[in-house]
């Protein structure tokens, strides 16, 4: 009987660890690849350097403004999750 209880605890701990890993990985900004946004009128190129600083280039001011907001939202989401994980709800 004790073996089943220990097994259930191990399976539960493994499931919680996998869920935590999934949540943390989902909160990270997309650093490579392509993304299609229907709201854009033209192509916007987003590049991050080794430190994560973003450079945007595009032909339309509206498209660049949209891309700036998108990048800011990605970075802010990660900051909020980090603050909540640390228990700092004031910073979030």
């Amino acid at each position: 009987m004790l073996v089943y209880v220990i097994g259930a605890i191990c399976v539960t701990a493994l499931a919680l660890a996998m869920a935590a890993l999934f949540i943390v990985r989902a909160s990270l900004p997309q650093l490579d690849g392509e993304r299609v946004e229907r709201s854009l009128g033209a192509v916007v190129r987003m590049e991050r350097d080794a430190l994560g600083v973003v450079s945007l280039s595009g032909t339309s001011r509206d498209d660049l403004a949209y891309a700036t907001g998108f990048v800011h939202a990605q970075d802010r989401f990660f900051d909020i999750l980090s603050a909540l994980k640390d228990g700092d709800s004031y910073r979030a």
Side-chain angles (χ1 to χ4, degrees):
M1 183 70 170
L2 182 62
V3 174
Y4 293 119
V5 172
I6 292 173
I9 290 172
C10 290
V11 168
T12 303
L14 181 62
L16 289 174
M18 289 176 59
L21 179 65
F22 176 76
I23 290 171
V24 169
R25 297 279 298 173
S27 70
L28 295 174
Q30 180 181 351
L31 299 178
D32 56 359
E34 293 183 3
R35 184 176 178 98
V36 176
E37 290 291 330
R38 295 183 188 163
S39 301
L40 295 176
V43 174
V44 174
R45 182 181 222 51
M46 179 187 84
E47 297 176 350
R48 289 183 186 261
D49 64 8
L51 298 175
V53 178
V54 178
S55 297
L56 297 171
S57 60
T59 57
S60 167
R61 188 177 180 102
D62 291 337
D63 292 341
L64 286 172
Y66 182 87
T68 301
F70 181 83
V71 169
H72 177 74
Q74 277 188 327
D75 292 342
R76 182 67 180 135
F77 182 63
F78 180 72
D79 289 342
I80 288 172
L81 285 183
S82 297
L84 292 176
K85 177 185 69 81
D86 295 338
D88 188 5
S89 60
Y90 179 74
R91 191 178 70 171

